[in-house]
Amino acid sequence: MASALFALALLAALAGPIGLRLRRHPGFVTGRDGRLSTSTTLALAWTVILVWLLLTILAYGLTAGGGIGWFTGEHGPLSSLTTVYLPLLGGPYVAMIAAKTVVGIRVENGSMAKPAPKPTGSGQRPLRELIANDSGRTDLVDLQYVALSAVTMLYVVLFFVSDVGGGLPRLPAEIWALTGAPAGAYLVNKMATRANPVVTGVTVTGAALLVEGGGFGPEARVELDSTALPTEYDPARGTLTAPLPAAAPAAFTVVVTSRGLRSDPYRHAPTAPAPTSTSTPDPAPAPAPAPAQQPAG
């Protein structure tokens, strides 16, 4: 029991400061577009898990384990390191390096658009970006990669805590497929994703509609609630401008079509005005009456 509590305390000591640091300054786990990178985040998580396992085993071996001799032998505490745990770590790292390479090449040759995300008021990136595409919609491939990796991490942590003295948990060698296969699907998705235009913001200024995003071009067209609008492309800013119909509703959906590809629908709704105070100011106090004049004696 004491060894399990020590292991959990060490895990909190390792993961806690890293999590707080990344929450305030997430640049280390963001991609070139400024969003949270799924592959980088999972590779970092697996690194923390493996470092925690090795440090806990080292502390246990030098204390309760009896010393250096505990580490030796065919069935020592690290016997499954190369057959199970390095492959578990290798899948996410291969996916991270390959995904960065593929995305970089595709962005440079124009076959993929990576518009910058909208800044948040707190300066922090939402965790939902780990399972969402550039338009903010849930991506099934990213979701399965994150979910299966999280389940595998839970297996490793629970099996290890249940028997710290046994060293690295004797998990089946095939468990690497729970990270390797999702990582492969994640990478293939990065390679196969078409350069769909992405809408990241819609602004109404007077009678004009300004659409921000990426993957636009001179041939891009804006649709408001399935109605095509005459569109102008600004190459300097990479934005689209269209006249707002007089009969346009307050809330509407915008879709951009470019090179025969359609963006995900972007729902625009007006921002509710701040409530104004209806209380009336307190009346000014009545002036004090002038003192009565005393007759001269």
Side-chain angles (χ1 to χ4, degrees):
M1 183 64 179
S3 58
L5 293 177
F6 170 78
L8 292 175
L10 182 57
L11 178 59
L14 283 175
I18 294 176
L20 291 176
R21 172 70 179 178
L22 294 178
R23 182 168 178 79
R24 296 171 183 170
H25 306 283
F28 183 71
V29 291
T30 55
R32 61 186 298 167
D33 58 357
R35 295 178 178 83
L36 291 180
S37 170
T38 303
S39 58
T40 302
T41 302
L42 292 180
L44 175 62
W46 273 114
T47 301
V48 172
I49 293 291
L50 186 57
V51 169
W52 166 67
L53 291 173
L54 296 178
L55 288 178
T56 306
I57 290 173
L58 176 63
Y60 182 89
L62 296 179
T63 54
I68 302 298
W70 182 70
F71 293 92
T72 61
E74 180 181 357
H75 300 289
L78 303 180
S79 58
S80 59
L81 179 63
T82 57
T83 58
V84 177
Y85 291 91
L86 290 185
L88 276 177
L89 186 65
Y93 267 91
V94 169
M96 179 189 70
I97 296 172
K100 288 181 179 294
T101 303
V102 169
V103 171
I105 293 175
R106 295 196 61 187
V107 169
E108 289 178 2
N109 62 26
S111 62
M112 176 179 284
K114 298 294 287 184
K118 281 188 173 182
T120 58
S122 62
Q124 303 168 356
R125 303 310 309 169
L127 290 178
R128 190 178 183 279
E129 290 183 344
L130 295 176
I131 60 171
N133 58 20
D134 293 342
S135 298
R137 301 181 67 184
T138 301
D139 189 299
L140 181 59
V141 177
D142 289 3
L143 175 61
Q144 60 88 31
Y145 187 22
V146 172
L148 290 178
S149 296
V151 169
T152 309
M153 292 179 195
L154 185 63
Y155 264 81
V156 172
V157 171
L158 293 181
F159 273 84
F160 179 67
V161 170
S162 66
D163 184 17
V164 176
L168 292 175
R170 302 301 197 275
L171 299 175
E174 295 79 9
I175 199 172
W176 68 268
L178 287 179
T179 59
Y186 172 83
L187 179 57
V188 171
N189 184 53
K190 291 293 183 183
M191 299 172 63
T193 300
R194 298 188 299 169
N196 290 64
V198 176
V199 178
T200 59
V202 174
T203 305
V204 176
T205 306
L209 191 67
L210 178 67
V211 181
E212 300 173 298
F216 303 155
E219 73 285 350
R221 291 293 176 267
V222 174
E223 295 180 12
L224 188 150
D225 289 341
S226 302
T227 301
L229 305 177
T231 306
E232 294 183 4
Y233 173 63
D234 184 351
R237 301 173 58 189
T239 58
L240 302 175
T241 305
L244 185 67
F252 50 83
T253 300
V254 171
V255 173
V256 172
T257 302
S258 180
R259 298 183 298 274
L261 301 174
R262 292 170 59 86
S263 70
D264 289 332
Y266 184 95
R267 185 67 177 172
H268 172 77
T271 304
T276 57
S277 176
T278 57
S279 60
T280 57
D282 295 334
Q293 296 291 330
Q294 298 293 331

